[in-house]
C-alpha cells in the first residue's frame, strides 16, 4: 500500500515537472536583419583652388582740364580739325578771343613748325598753297580785316604732303606750332595731338585768317 502511494507520488512529480517544463516561455526569435546601409567610400578632400586675383579696375577717364587763364595777348590757339587723303594733308587752327576786348585781325599769321624738342624744323613755310598742290579752299582765300568780339574765333588752314621723295633724306615731323596772330602780338605755342608729318618734301602752305562764322 505504501509502495503504491510512493509510486503515485513519484509519477505525479514527474508529470508536474514535465508540465512546468512545457510551460516555459521560449526565448523571442532574433530580429530579422534590416537593410544594410551602403558603405560610403572615405571622402577625398577636394583640391583647394588658388584664389583668383580680382581684375584690375578700369582707370577712370581723365577729367577735362580746368580752363586755363587767358594768355597775355587776350587770345588762345586750339586745333580745329583736318583731313588727309592720298598723302595730302589739310589742318586748321582756331584763334579764340578769350579776353574782354575786341581783337582785330588782318591778313596772315606768322607761322613756325617746331619738333618735339621745340626747335624749328627744316621746312619752307609760305602763304597760299606754296607749291604743295593746286588751289585749296581756305588756303587760297583773299585776306581781309576782321574784328573778333569776346568769345568769337577765326581760323587759318595749312596744307602739306606726307611724301618721301628721297630715301637718303630723313623725314620731317612737326609736333608743335608757333603762331604770331598779328604783328607785334605775343607768340603763341600749341602742342599738336596730330603731327605735321611733312615727309621730306620740305614745303608747307597756309592761308589767311577767316572768321569762323563766315566759313
Amino acid at each position: 500500500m505504501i509502495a503504491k502511494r510512493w509510486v503515485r507520488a513519484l509519477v505525479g512529480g514527474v508529470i508536474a515537472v514535465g508540465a512546468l517544463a512545457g510551460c516555459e516561455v521560449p526565448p523571442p526569435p532574433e530580429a530579422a536583419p534590416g537593410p544594410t546601409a551602403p558603405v560610403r567610400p572615405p571622402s577625398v578632400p577636394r583640391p583647394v583652388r588658388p584664389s583668383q586675383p580680382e581684375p584690375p579696375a578700369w582707370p577712370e577717364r581723365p577729367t577735362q582740364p580746368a580752363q586755363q587763364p587767358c594768355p597775355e595777348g587776350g587770345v588762345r590757339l586750339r586745333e580745329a580739325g583736318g583731313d588727309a587723303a592720298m598723302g595730302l594733308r589739310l589742318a586748321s587752327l582756331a584763334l579764340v578771343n578769350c579776353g574782354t576786348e575786341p581783337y582785330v585781325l588782318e591778313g596772315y599769321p606768322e607761322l613756325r613748325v617746331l619738333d618735339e624738342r621745340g626747335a624749328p624744323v627744316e621746312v619752307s613755310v609760305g602763304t597760299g598753297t606754296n607749291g604743295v598742290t593746286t588751289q585749296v579752299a581756305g588756303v587760297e582765300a583773299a585776306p581781309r580785316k576782321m574784328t573778333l568780339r569776346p568769345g568769337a574765333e577765326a581760323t587759318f588752314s595749312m596744307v602739306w604732303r606726307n611724301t618721301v621723295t628721297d630715301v637718303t633724306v630723313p623725314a620731317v615731323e612737326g609736333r608743335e606750332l608757333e603762331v604770331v596772330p598779328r604783328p607785334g602780338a605775343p607768340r603763341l605755342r600749341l602742342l599738336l595731338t596730330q603731327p605735321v608729318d611733312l615727309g621730306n618734301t620740305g614745303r608747307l602752305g597756309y592761308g589767311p585768317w577767316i572768321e569762323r562764322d563766315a566759313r
Side-chain angles (χ1 to χ4, degrees):
M1 190 70 178
I2 295 172
K4 291 181 179 179
R5 292 178 180 177
W6 182 82
V7 171
R8 292 177 180 175
L10 180 61
V11 172
V14 172
I15 294 173
V17 172
L20 290 174
C23 293
E24 288 183 359
V25 179
E30 295 182 0
T36 305
V39 179
R40 296 182 180 179
S43 60
V44 178
R46 295 182 179 180
V48 179
R49 295 182 180 179
S51 58
Q52 296 294 331
E54 295 184 0
W58 288 104
E60 296 182 359
R61 291 184 179 182
T63 56
Q64 293 294 331
Q67 186 69 31
Q68 297 180 355
C70 189
E72 178 186 357
V75 289
R76 67 161 53 92
L77 282 173
R78 69 172 183 84
E79 293 175 285
D83 190 19
M86 300 297 292
L88 184 65
R89 305 287 199 254
L90 182 66
S92 297
L93 294 185
L95 184 76
V96 183
N97 183 356
C98 55
T100 58
E101 300 295 331
Y103 195 88
V104 178
L105 289 173
E106 185 175 7
Y108 298 85
E110 180 185 329
L111 176 65
R112 285 205 306 172
V113 182
L114 311 177
D115 62 16
E116 69 278 2
R117 298 171 299 172
V121 302
E122 295 184 7
V123 57
S124 169
V125 177
T127 58
T129 55
N130 194 28
V132 174
T133 183
T134 56
Q135 185 173 356
V136 177
V139 177
E140 290 288 344
R144 65 186 186 86
K145 187 176 182 178
M146 67 197 68
T147 301
L148 302 180
R149 67 185 185 280
E153 59 185 49
T155 63
F156 75 91
S157 298
M158 305 176 295
V159 63
W160 71 93
R161 286 192 179 277
N162 175 28
T163 306
V164 175
T165 57
D166 187 348
V167 295
T168 63
V169 178
V172 174
E173 191 172 76
R175 290 287 181 173
E176 191 175 8
L177 294 177
E178 184 180 78
V179 176
V180 179
R182 63 186 183 186
R187 295 179 180 271
L188 300 173
R189 281 193 174 189
L190 180 65
L191 191 63
L192 302 172
T193 59
Q194 297 295 329
V196 178
D197 49 348
L198 295 159
N200 55 24
T201 57
R203 288 182 177 274
L204 180 143
Y206 69 100
W209 289 114
I210 299 177
E211 284 187 88
R212 186 71 171 182
D213 295 340
R215 298 196 65 172

